[in-house]
Amino acid sequence: MITMDDIIREGHPSLKKVAKEVMFPLTEEQKQKAEEMLQFLKNSQDAEISEKYQLRGGVGLAAPQIDWLERVIAVHVPNVENPDEPLFSAVMMNPKILSHSVEETCLSEGEGCLSVDREVPGYVVRHSRISLEYTDLNGETQKARLRKYPAIVVQHEIDHLNGIMFYDHINAKEPWKVADDVNIMS
Ligand SMILES: OCN(O)CCCc1ccccc1
Ligand code: NI
């Protein structure tokens, strides 16, 4: 199973690299690693397992964070009302944003990252809505239209595939200043 020891931290060169397209058919090893990434997220959101293995809670994980430089991300966004039914859950290979809204959004609390062991304050402005295409674990092409928190998480993960960290988007001079048409989400 993936634990925090497997997650590389800022300063590790792999976090700045561009991950390679995944070729199909997947090897057993690739499939297993991708599934372990999703399982890590579920474990990290489980009170008992996260406590037992000291996992930091995460809603997304990108392959470069486990030093795997291929274009694979896992997303598991819980539905606070009903924990058994996640808001959005997927393993995506070669995710690609096909189009996005003009409208932008950001989380009122800013963002964090499992690979960043410090707070970096400031708004991270992202597209409010995205249409994306990806290949799933069975090698089938999927399309998804996301908005709100799932859209933010997927953009954070796709950034990791391109060596981009959430704080690269923060306005260094005025971290909590945004254009008035940016939708601040709490
Ligand atoms: O790369 C995933 N990761 O570092 C875990 C945190 C994910 C995340 C946190 C806040 C907003 C969007 C995404
Ligand atoms: Ni991250």
Side-chain angles (χ1 to χ4, degrees), residues 106-113 116 118-126 156 159 164-178:
C106 63
L107 293 176
S108 59
E109 319 282 308
E111 295 187 8
C113 184
V116 179
R118 61 191 171 107
E119 300 267 316
V120 185
Y123 289 135
V124 179
V125 176
R126 298 189 184 277
H156 176 117
D159 270 354
I164 297 165
M165 304 293 281
F166 73 91
Y167 46 68
D168 296 332
H169 297 282
I170 295 174
N171 177 334
K173 284 189 188 48
E174 298 179 285
W176 298 110
K177 180 168 173 280
V178 276

Side-chain angles (χ1 to χ4, degrees), residues 35-99:
E35 285 164 350
E36 278 186 76
M37 285 169 62
L38 183 60
Q39 192 55 50
F40 168 82
L41 299 176
K42 292 176 183 173
N43 292 342
S44 78
Q45 295 169 23
D46 178 290
E48 259 170 66
I49 302 174
S50 58
E51 171 63 30
K52 180 172 179 192
Y53 294 98
Q54 292 298 294
L55 306 180
R56 232 184 100 187
V59 290
L61 192 65
Q65 291 182 278
I66 55 171
D67 202 12
W68 179 22
L69 288 174
E70 291 197 324
R71 302 185 78 82
V72 180
I73 67 173
V75 178
H76 194 73
V77 182
N79 173 348
V80 280
E81 275 91 48
N82 172 358
D84 299 342
E85 193 49 46
L87 209 52
F88 185 75
S89 184
V91 173
M92 302 182 182
M93 258 68 71
N94 304 325
K96 188 171 172 5
I97 294 176
L98 301 174
S99 64

